[in-house]
Amino acid sequence: MSELMIEGLSATVAGKEILKGVDLTVASGEVHAVMGPNGAGKSTLSYVLAGHPAFTVTGGSVTLDGQDLLGLAAWERARAGLFLAMQYPTEVPGVRLDEMLREAAVAAGRDVDAVTQLLQDEAGKIGFDARFLERPLNVDLSGGEKKRNETVQLATLQPQFAILDEIDSGLDIDALRDVSRRIEALTETGLGVLAITHYRRLLEELRPDMVHVLVDGRIQRSGGPELADELESAGYGEFGTSQN
Amino acid sequence: MNTAFTTEAAAALAGPDWLVERRRSAAARFADAELPSAEEEVWRYSRIGDLDLSSFVPAPEHAPAADVESLLAVAADDALVVVTVDGRVADQRAGSGAATVATPDAEADSALGAVLEAGDDALVSLHDAFASPVEITVPEGADGGDVVVVHQFPTEGVASMPRLVISAGQGSTVSVVEVFTSPDGVRNLSIPVTELIVGRDATLRHASVQVLGDLTWQIARVASTVGQNGNLTSGSAAFGGDYARLRADTVLAGRGAHGDLFAGYFGTGSQLLDFRTFQDHVAPDTTSNLLFKGALGEKGASVYTGLIKIRPDARGSLAFQTNRNLKLSDDAWAESVPNLEIENNEVQCSHASTVGPVDPEQRFYLESRGVPTGRAERLIVKGVFDEVLDALPLGGFEPMAREYLDVDLEKSLP
């Protein structure tokens, strides 16, 4: 059993305070949904956890089984067991998916051939076209293909915790089902998930243990899955903001 | 300037009468000419001011022995092969294609100088005065096959003038790779000129691999003309040299002529890699597409200046020019100056140029998957080169180009 613990996390971007003390703990196999209006700091939270250099941590701590993550470079956090599925996966012309994952496997001390095989298996599981494995990363992929790509990588890299930054955006119904079912299955073998989303529909397949409402850089309320239903009908008005 | 490059020395080289006379008049022009200077636009940012011709002597008439077996091992077995050493023909073998190779004989039916006019600049005159030309000809309608020309410069203090003229006859096809190589630690100069003549409906693919040693200077010209509906691909993978310059002039002379121009270059140490391009659209409905991409590590530097010129008759032409430079260290330097000169309004032209570090978002994407920073940057830079290395007709020499790329990556992103 592992634990990702976020305590009092504050962060700025370009001098502007976005996160104002976030507290959240995710354990292995759990799914925590983070919902909130635009501008609440949801994407910032995911980037700060993954170590994006544009964000400055101004307070708090993030630990994985007691190991400080904030002191690690982005790639070391990944090696420690963290994965970020991006809302808008970056196009990297000239770098192939399989090539990138082989480099990651070398850095993690994993068997490179086994990782390559796993990549092919995982692509097959969620209908990610095998020819994309040898094509430049995310280049000329549709929104849905990009999210399948993120999911294939998640399953291949086998992290302990995955942060999903609006993995449901830009997905059609079929892709949403394939992606969320695969991730749900991974939670059954111990993956912990922090799923940032605007919409409840992701959570129909990827069932949350906890739902957190992030508004104005803080978790304002936490509850069970029923909180997602409540937010869907009532919006974020009670938190002093309107959904936009 | 007192140098060994005298009219007497030029005229003493053996050859048919017309060639001897051609050399003599070129040497006389050179004697009267000033060397170019960095004041001239086409030499801006260059190291031409550091060129001291008095420290070099002309290559002797006969080439010294040189071992090129390992280089030729990667050439296709059925390729036409020419080896020059210090600019003199050292070896040649026929290929299975229709391309033939010749050195000048008494008949003056040579295409020499058909594209690059004599007296274009002082260094072309110098070249013409001392060159031993090699001509490769593909007959009309024929498949010329593969051609490999290896230019080796093993000798300290020598100035070499390799000259290659390739004529692809009407409707013919041919693929040519030139390799330029010299040992590290040997200070010498080469001024190669390559003329590419693409006949009507012909397809000529040409690539140069420049893997010169660390003290070699090279000031190269590639001059091309493309006839009606002809297709030219020409490009360079450039890794070596102390100062290595390539000026590539492409004239789209016949209606519907097309040119694809590529370069991939990597400067490290204190290298300066210098590229000048001219896309000259003379005829209507001509197209050209130029993509030059490079990386600069350590204190490496590069210059790119390019001009798309659309002549008054070139209506319906399309011309594109893109130069991208990745700066991998604070001390690296790149200058990029694209230009357009358009004298007909019924055309589409664009140019783009960038100089900057590895894209931080691309790097973060790879890092967030667990790829260490240096490895992530290497993958991205290697990827930048793929587009041009894949497009160049490098044949069996592509792995060699990639090895040089890997060495430069290792130096720049340890």
Side-chain angles (χ1 to χ4, degrees), chain B residues 129-172:
Chain B
F130 290 92
S132 299
V134 176
E135 291 193 49
I136 290 171
T137 306
V138 187
E140 275 190 24
D143 179 357
D146 290 322
V147 175
V148 171
V149 183
V150 172
H151 303 283
Q152 198 174 55
F153 310 107
T155 315
E156 174 84 18
V158 155
S160 307
M161 315 291 168
R163 177 60 159 267
L164 183 64
V165 181
I166 298 171
S167 305
Q170 181 177 336
S172 68

Side-chain angles (χ1 to χ4, degrees), chain A residues 23 36 51 108 139 155 185 202:
Chain A
D23 296 295
V139 176
L202 172 72

Side-chain angles (χ1 to χ4, degrees), chain B residues 246-289:
Chain B
L246 170 62
R247 174 173 162 183
D249 297 17
T250 307
V251 181
L252 299 148
R255 185 168 199 149
H258 177 74
D260 282 315
L261 309 166
F262 299 100
Y265 52 90
F266 205 137
T268 57
S270 57
Q271 279 183 293
L272 174 57
L273 302 177
D274 178 348
F275 297 91
R276 316 284 165 151
T277 65
F278 293 84
Q279 293 155 265
D280 190 354
H281 290 251
V282 174
D285 303 323
T286 48
T287 52
S288 69
N289 195 357

Side-chain angles (χ1 to χ4, degrees), chain A residues 95, chain B residues 266 294-296 326 328 358 376-386 405 409 413:
Chain A
V95 179
Chain B
F266 205 137
L296 294 314
L326 282 175
L328 305 179
V358 169
E377 291 191 335
R378 274 200 217 186
L379 279 180
I380 293 165
V381 177
K382 200 164 70 60
V384 164
F385 277 84
D386 278 346
L405 172 60
L409 283 170
L413 300 168

Side-chain angles (χ1 to χ4, degrees), chain A residues 181-200:
Chain A
R181 280 189 186 167
R182 183 69 196 107
I183 297 172
E184 171 72 23
L186 290 169
T187 64
E188 282 156 23
T189 53
L191 177 72
V193 171
L194 190 61
I196 288 162
T197 181
H198 264 302
Y199 304 107
R200 200 178 53 91

Side-chain angles (χ1 to χ4, degrees), chain A residues 117-131:
Chain A
Q117 184 59 51
L118 184 57
L119 171 63
Q120 284 167 10
D121 296 346
E122 287 296 339
K125 276 185 196 169
I126 64 161
F128 186 62
D129 196 323
R131 68 200 158 94

